Amino acid sequence: MPKFDIVVIGGGNAGFGVSAVAHEAGKSIAFIEERDFGGTCPNRGCTPKKVLVAAAHSMHEISLAKTHGISVGTPKLDWAKLIERKDDMIGFIPGAMKGVAEKRGTVFEGRAKFVGPNTVEVNGKRIEGENIVIATGSKPRALPIPGAELMITSDEVMSESELPKEVVFIGGGVIAMEFSHVYAHAGSKVTILEAAPQLLPRIDADAVAAIRGQSEHLGIDVKTDVRVHEIHEENGRLTVLYTHDGKTQQIEADRVVNGAGRVANVDGLDLAAANVAHDGIKIDVDEYLRSTSNPAIWVAGDALVQSPQLSPIATHEGRVVGHNIVNGAEKTPDYLASPSAVYTVPALSTVGLTEQEARDQGINVRVSVNDMTGWFSSKSYGEPVAWAKVLIDADSDKVVGAHLVGHHGEDLIHIFAMAIRFGITASELKDMPMAFPTFASDSKNLF
Ligand code: FAD
């Protein structure tokens, strides 16, 4: 049986994070992947999605042309061409990433499962690891309703070449918000059915209200506090039965998308065979991301549900695990000021605490909320939404959170992330010279 210092299960951000550190330290690595090297982010997530989002942005820009005195005809997005463009852009990735994996270790292609505390099996072959890293990512949450199998996932949204005329998203999380804006800009009729009272439940409530307003302005029908009962199919059309406002209702669509979030992709690993403690949702790990029941096993990336499912976080956790295997368990992951964005049009960008979290932590918080649509920079571009909430600790003058909708917030958010991470005070930010007129210079007037 071949033996390695490290067996990495999963060739995504987390697996590559582990292998980068371990390879540099001269460790022997077995790299196992059952689908595409590179994993979700470049093949079926962030990167291809952004190609679709960019097209939606173009449609948005064209819709603003009139504001500037520019006449254009009615724009039409050719969905099949957009999908082809996306495929052209990312097609080389699995091969290129497999090449990187081969430079770092021995590649095994197939599905791995545990057969012992230090052993996995792939395609009937057993491999032993002094350390084994679970970096198997996430998968869409299964919905316990009749007809759930009729739903598609983000994979099909980004690969089907026909644009559906009517789409229903079950769940109003990040994936639903992003793709609902893409579909709406492409001309589909979109409905979002969310079980909770708020879309994007973990994000600042006022920021979510701002993007909900823009979503409705685009024609997206948003319903919250919904209970979906069943989906059924007749003659290729899907019907979703749900309860809202105390009434049972139904809606028809060509496609129903699972937008109910993602769970750790670990149930096919036979964790019990490796004595890995797991409560059905999460693997028990210590602060060094090591299994509490089997010290040979480590977890990183989306498979670790205790931290946000984001690509930079998966890479960071992978590097932390790599470091701890090479140097002994001494490093803990650092999640302070990890910015993220929901790529709606425009994006909702966020870093640090929500207002509620700041209050719950007893921070003497100073809250500045600004609608910037009337400011010159927004007015020049005719943007319909430009909104910001900045949270300052009034005692220390430190930024504790920022939530931006529009206004190039997905880039501006890094100013606030740096302020939080490096303890730059609000007064110091205000003193920082910035090119004018820019959205960045506006950011100094947001608090
Ligand atoms: P993955 O990248 O999923 O890699 C896990 C790998 O393990 C997969 O390649 C899988 O095939 C393999 N695998 C699983 N089980 C086995 C097994 N038993 N044996 C062998 N191989 C196995 N994040 C952002 O930061 N920004 C975004 O804009 C963004 N957009 C997204 C859009 C979509 C539609 C989706 C689905 C996700 C998006 N994400 C985004 C999240 C991001 O893609 C993930 O956080 C990131 O890919 C997680 O990396 P990972 O290495 O943990 O898992």
Side-chain angles (χ1 to χ4, degrees):
M1 175 163 47
K3 285 189 186 164
F4 295 87
D5 294 329
I6 306 170
V7 172
V8 180
I9 312 176
N13 282 72
F16 275 93
V18 177
S19 66
V21 177
H23 174 62
E24 217 173 273
K27 297 282 179 191
S28 64
I29 301 170
F31 215 150
I32 311 173
E33 171 55 53
E34 67 168 333
R35 202 171 167 186
D36 297 320
F37 272 98
T40 304
C41 182
N43 294 306
R44 302 176 295 280
C46 336
T47 312
K49 177 205 59 201
K50 205 68 193 289
V51 180
L52 271 55
V53 169
H57 264 281
S58 267
M59 293 297 280
H60 172 66
E61 291 292 326
I62 297 167
S63 76
L64 296 178
K66 251 196 339 259
T67 317
H68 306 288
I70 304 166
S71 313
V72 284
T74 308
K76 185 171 170 3
L77 197 161
D78 184 332
W79 186 262
K81 279 202 177 131
L82 175 60
I83 297 298
E84 208 180 292
R85 174 170 191 259
K86 181 268 300 175
D87 289 340
D88 282 351
M89 283 175 69
I90 62 165
F92 74 98
I93 290 172
M97 295 307 283
K98 185 179 168 191
V100 176
E102 283 168 339
K103 284 201 181 102
R104 292 185 184 167
T106 307
V107 162
F108 295 84
E109 286 181 275
R111 174 168 297 186
K113 69 174 175 77
F114 286 101
V115 288
N118 285 78
T119 314
V120 297
E121 192 176 88
V122 193
N123 300 330
K125 192 177 174 120
R126 292 191 170 204
I127 307 167
E128 195 176 316
E130 197 180 323
N131 297 276
I132 301 179
V133 184
I134 298 172
T136 48
S138 58
K139 61 181 181 180
R141 184 189 305 281
L143 285 177
I145 51 165
E149 71 285 354
L150 297 169
M151 290 187 293
I152 60 169
T153 68
S154 52
D155 285 8
E156 288 83 29
V157 171
M158 289 189 282
S159 59
E160 290 186 346
S161 56
E162 198 173 329
L163 177 70
K165 285 195 179 68
E166 286 162 291
V167 187
V168 172
F169 285 87
I170 298 188
V174 176
I175 286 176
M177 291 305 290
E178 295 180 337
F179 288 119
S180 67
H181 277 232
V182 171
Y183 274 142
H185 278 287
S188 305
K189 167 92 191 76
V190 184
T191 304
I192 298 177
L193 303 176
E194 164 61 49
Q198 180 187 306
L199 297 168
L200 300 163
R202 288 197 206 104
I203 295 182
D204 187 273
D206 293 331
V208 174
I211 198 61
R212 177 174 178 160
Q214 175 60 9
S215 307
E216 288 170 338
H217 175 75
L218 260 179
I220 298 170
D221 189 3
V222 179
K223 291 184 165 64
T224 44
D225 280 315
V226 171
R227 211 175 128 227
V228 175
H229 304 290
E230 113 174 48
I231 307 165
H232 59 258
E233 183 176 18
E234 216 175 304
N235 302 326
R237 291 276 286 171
L238 300 167
T239 304
V240 181
L241 284 178
Y242 63 95
T243 304
H244 183 238
D245 275 347
K247 283 181 264 164
T248 299
Q249 305 173 39
Q250 65 178 54
I251 182 168
E252 281 193 19
D254 306 302
R255 286 285 179 265
V256 178
V257 187
N258 183 345
R262 292 173 69 89
V263 294
N265 181 23
V266 293
D267 44 1
L269 287 172
D270 198 355
L271 296 171
N275 185 33
V276 176
H278 180 253
D279 68 2
I281 297 173
K282 59 178 192 301
I283 295 174
D284 282 339
V285 291
D286 63 17
E287 62 201 301
Y288 306 109
L289 309 186
R290 186 181 220 167
S291 159
T292 51
S293 53
N294 178 349
I297 310 289
W298 307 76
V299 191
D302 280 13
L304 185 75
V305 295
Q306 291 88 327
S307 56
Q309 293 173 326
L310 291 168
S311 129
I313 288 187
T315 303
H316 172 67
E317 290 171 347
R319 292 187 68 88
V320 167
V321 165
H323 176 99
N324 288 339
I325 291 174
V326 169
N327 302 291
E330 60 177 22
K331 197 168 182 171
T332 55
D334 178 0
Y335 302 115
L336 177 69
S338 298
S340 67
V342 181
Y343 296 99
T344 40
V345 184
L348 189 176
S349 313
T350 177
V351 68
L353 304 177
T354 65
E355 182 177 346
Q356 192 57 51
E357 285 167 346
R359 294 198 188 287
D360 291 347
Q361 289 184 19
I363 294 172
N364 178 16
V365 66
R366 181 156 59 81
V367 182
S368 303
V369 176
N370 283 283
D371 176 355
M372 300 165 290
T373 42
W375 296 17
F376 266 112
S377 41
S378 295
K379 257 168 110 174
S380 319
Y381 288 88
E383 284 296 346
V385 55
W387 182 95
K389 178 190 273 188
V390 179
L391 308 170
I392 311 284
D393 181 333
D395 298 332
S396 65
D397 196 33
K398 298 251 171 80
V399 180
V400 293
H403 310 279
L404 312 174
V405 182
H407 220 72
H408 292 201
E410 63 272 46
D411 287 318
L412 287 189
I413 200 71
H414 298 99
I415 295 177
F416 295 102
M418 277 198 271
I420 296 175
R421 193 163 182 91
F422 301 110
I424 302 168
T425 62
S427 323
E428 284 166 334
L429 269 187
K430 275 198 187 289
D431 280 346
M432 162 88 196
M434 290 191 192
F436 179 84
T438 58
F439 292 131
S441 69
D442 282 355
S443 69
K444 294 200 284 180
N445 300 319
L446 293 178
F447 49 89

